[in-house]
């Protein structure tokens, strides 16, 4: 039973920071690429960041320099540190695992004054 449980979402002001966490279980976490995707109302889900089993990272251009993805293999957790947040970052953020193309339920991030 694969489980991906996101936490850390909420309401923040423009320019603020937020750290998302994804707790994974039900598979051998250290072997798989993990990622964060997001979906705003009326828009398609888009890749935000990925991190491979070896620690290589990729980011969508709009978040480069502001967001950092990391993983803790001992704790089976992937993180997304989000700094300098903008209103256009507002979306539901989903945790992803390459294991069976698995998805979490999502956590809401709202950036507003």
């Amino acid at each position: 039973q694969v489980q991906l449980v996101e936490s850390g979402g909420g309401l923040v002001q423009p320019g603020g920071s937020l750290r998302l966490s994804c707790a994974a279980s039900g598979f051998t976490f250290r072997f798989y690429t993990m990622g964060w995707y997001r979906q705003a109302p009326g828009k398609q889900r888009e890749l935000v960041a990925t991190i491979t089993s070896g620690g290589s990272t990729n980011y969508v251009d709009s978040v480069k320099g502001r967001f950092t993805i990391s993983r803790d293999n001992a704790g089976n957790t992937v993180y997304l540190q989000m700094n300098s947040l903008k209103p256009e970052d507002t979306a539901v953020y989903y945790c992803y695992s390459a294991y069976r193309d698995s998805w979490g339920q999502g956590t809401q991030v709202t950036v507003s004054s």
Side-chain angles (χ1 to χ4, degrees):
Q1 184 181 38
V2 176
Q3 294 286 329
L4 300 174
V5 181
E6 302 97 334
S7 61
L11 174 65
V12 295
Q13 293 183 320
S17 296
L18 207 58
R19 189 193 195 205
L20 306 183
S21 298
C22 172
S25 62
F27 63 101
T28 307
F29 178 83
R30 63 189 171 93
F31 290 157
Y32 292 92
T33 291
M34 301 293 295
W36 289 95
Y37 289 71
R38 66 187 180 186
Q39 187 168 29
K43 297 185 178 180
Q44 290 189 296
R45 189 173 298 188
E46 69 170 349
L47 179 146
V48 178
T50 59
I51 183 165
T52 69
S53 60
S56 297
T57 59
N58 286 97
Y59 301 90
V60 68
D61 286 345
S62 60
V63 311
K64 287 180 179 176
R66 300 188 297 121
F67 291 11
T68 303
I69 188 171
S70 61
R71 66 191 297 159
D72 175 7
N73 286 338
N76 289 359
T77 305
V78 62
Y79 302 95
L80 186 68
Q81 178 66 47
M82 305 186 293
N83 299 326
S84 302
L85 283 160
K86 304 174 180 180
E88 51 262 45
D89 295 318
T90 296
V92 177
Y93 284 70
Y94 296 91
C95 183
Y96 167 84
S97 175
Y99 180 79
R100 301 184 186 273
D101 284 334
S102 302
W103 298 88
Q105 292 295 306
T107 185
Q108 178 71 49
V109 172
T110 302
V111 185
S112 177
S113 299

